[in-house]
Amino acid sequence: MRVAVFSARAYDRDFLEKANAAADGKHELLFFDIRLGTESARLAAECEAVCAFVNDQLGRDVLELLAGHGVRLVALRCAGFNNVDLQAARDLDITVARVPAYSPDAVAEHTVAMILALARNIHKAYVRVREGNFALEGLLGFNLRGRTVGIVGTGAIGLCVGRIMRGFGCEVIAADPMPNDELVALGGRYVSMPDLLAASDIVSLHCPLTPQTHHLIDRDAIAQMKPRAMLINTSRGGVVDTPALIAGLKSGRIGNLGLDVYEEEADLFFENLSDRMIQDDVFARLLTFPNVLVTGHQGFFTREAMSAIAETTLHNISAFAETGAALHPVSVERLA
Ligand code: NAD
């Protein structure tokens, strides 16, 4: 198949070309570093498939343009699919495929890296030591053993975080409309969302972004959290209301904040903007807090995860080419 790969950085190209070579170079991959949107959709002309990432736009308008160019498959190289209008894809007879669980460990380990960095002020110490400042004032941390970690969403990644935190001697509580027996087997226990917020020293978000989880963490939720609790979001930016986080940081209700995702990240992340001014004042305000650690959506970014993403993406494309169905489809029907 001829596939237009959008938002393609050099590392995407490397991993996808390797996976394609392993599949005997079956597919013709055209790489475009720009994001997919109404302006760029024309680059998919004469392609039967597009390969898209988290910030590519796949609303009805873009899907209609793609369908007009003959695109029949959208192969997402990510797990989340909140950026795709699945009903429009259904109406236009476009198959949507994703990479469901390429490496939950990658995102879970990044989550735990953020927890440890914030608990022990590693992000501050790193800068201080390089400037010859070895004073400890302001670096006082806290032990993880005995702390309560609240996991929101205990699918592949949330479960993995639960397992690691149990290893640190933490109590693990969780909220999920679809409880997972494996979490209970680890010694975790399910509670209501208000109880999770009230009891957790660390709240970690691992649910998908859906209409139900949009701004799940808002002013009300923050008011229910333990004073000075830590909040970590490695799921999707829209699960939290960022101005509410800023208010929570200013009041001290949020003691530490770790974000790998941001609601308006599409205009910032995956680009080197070091010689430009950040135009987003909300994001710029977040960066001023010493107890906030932001990474630019890199939870998935390990060699292992990138190989698995590329392989599964190629398998989705090959399966569709051979049988007319992708290996890991997402659709309105499946979601229901
Ligand atoms: P998953 O589908 O295995 O698990 C998601 C869990 O969330 C499910 O158990 C589901 O029942 C639960 N859930 C749904 N609605 C909920 C709600 N209202 N409250 C609590 N739980 C709810 O997904 P996963 O592979 O564990 O990934 C989780 C999310 O992490 C993805 O949807 C994606 O947005 C994000 N993610 C981020 C990165 C990154 O690089 N930062 C990488 C991969 C995935």
Side-chain angles (χ1 to χ4, degrees):
M1 285 183 90
R2 202 173 147 89
V3 186
V5 185
F6 286 90
S7 300
R9 322 301 305 196
Y11 44 80
D12 294 304
R13 181 189 282 254
D14 285 352
F15 282 96
L16 286 167
E17 279 181 341
K18 247 181 236 150
N20 196 28
D24 297 329
K26 268 205 275 266
H27 305 290
E28 189 185 347
L29 306 180
L30 309 178
F31 293 96
F32 302 106
D33 66 359
I34 57 170
R35 259 190 289 152
L36 175 57
T38 46
E39 295 290 303
S40 56
R42 66 190 160 74
L43 294 169
E46 289 170 38
C47 290
E48 296 153 280
V50 297
C51 178
F53 197 46
V54 291
N55 292 324
D56 287 313
Q57 293 163 7
L58 289 145
R60 184 175 285 276
D61 48 354
V62 175
L63 289 170
E64 277 172 357
L65 291 170
L66 293 176
H69 289 307
V71 169
R72 294 182 299 127
L73 171 70
V74 170
L76 296 169
R77 50 181 196 280
C78 54
F81 47 87
N82 50 283
N83 52 337
V84 187
D85 184 335
L86 291 178
Q87 185 58 56
R90 178 90 199 75
D91 297 345
L92 295 160
D93 204 18
I94 292 178
T95 297
V96 181
R98 66 171 183 142
V99 185
Y102 45 84
S103 174
D105 307 276
V107 187
E109 289 171 16
H110 189 77
T111 303
V112 176
M114 295 192 105
I115 293 174
L116 284 167
L118 286 165
R120 303 306 297 268
N121 289 303
I122 304 295
H123 57 303
K124 289 193 223 167
Y126 174 80
V127 177
R128 269 195 203 184
V129 166
R130 288 170 78 94
E131 289 174 353
N133 177 357
F134 304 100
L136 295 185
E137 282 80 6
L139 299 183
L140 190 66
F142 62 86
N143 289 9
L144 290 179
R145 179 169 296 280
R147 297 276 168 174
T148 299
V149 179
I151 301 179
V152 181
T154 49
I157 297 170
L159 177 68
C160 221
V161 171
R163 187 176 296 121
I164 300 172
M165 298 319 289
R166 287 291 292 155
F168 277 108
C170 294
E171 191 179 333
V172 168
I173 57 175
D176 192 315
M178 307 268 283
N180 186 337
D181 290 345
E182 284 187 66
L183 186 97
V184 178
L186 289 173
R189 107 190 121 81
Y190 283 93
V191 297
S192 67
M193 191 66 190
D195 286 350
L196 181 146
L197 293 171
S200 299
D201 299 296
I202 299 167
V203 175
S204 194
L205 305 176
H206 302 288
C207 54
L209 175 60
T210 63
Q212 291 74 38
T213 63
H214 180 251
H215 290 186
L216 182 71
I217 303 299
D218 57 9
R219 274 169 206 268
D220 277 358
I222 292 166
Q224 294 172 55
M225 286 171 67
K226 255 187 173 179
R228 306 215 51 76
M230 181 188 292
L231 177 68
I232 305 286
N233 186 15
T234 61
S235 63
R236 283 289 182 267
V239 175
V240 300
D241 174 10
T242 313
L245 295 185
I246 290 172
L249 286 159
K250 283 163 84 174
S251 72
R253 174 66 62 168
I254 298 177
N256 294 100
L257 176 66
L259 298 178
D260 186 46
V261 286
Y262 171 57
E263 194 163 10
E264 306 300 330
E265 69 179 49
D267 293 331
L268 294 164
F269 289 3
F270 309 121
E271 302 287 339
N272 180 356
L273 304 177
S274 53
D275 58 355
R276 284 187 245 164
M277 295 296 149
I278 291 180
Q279 300 298 321
D280 181 335
D281 291 349
V282 174
F283 186 75
R285 179 69 177 103
L286 268 182
L287 297 183
T288 65
F289 293 99
N291 49 349
V292 172
L293 175 59
V294 178
T295 51
H297 206 142
Q298 69 175 83
F300 70 96
F301 201 49
T302 65
R303 284 184 204 95
E304 294 81 357
M306 288 295 286
S307 296
I309 289 171
E311 276 166 30
T312 306
T313 300
L314 266 294
H315 288 159
N316 269 330
I317 295 168
S318 295
F320 183 80
E322 285 155 26
T323 69
L327 276 187
H328 303 287
V330 264
S331 62
V332 269
E333 290 82 4
R334 283 178 158 262
L335 220 52

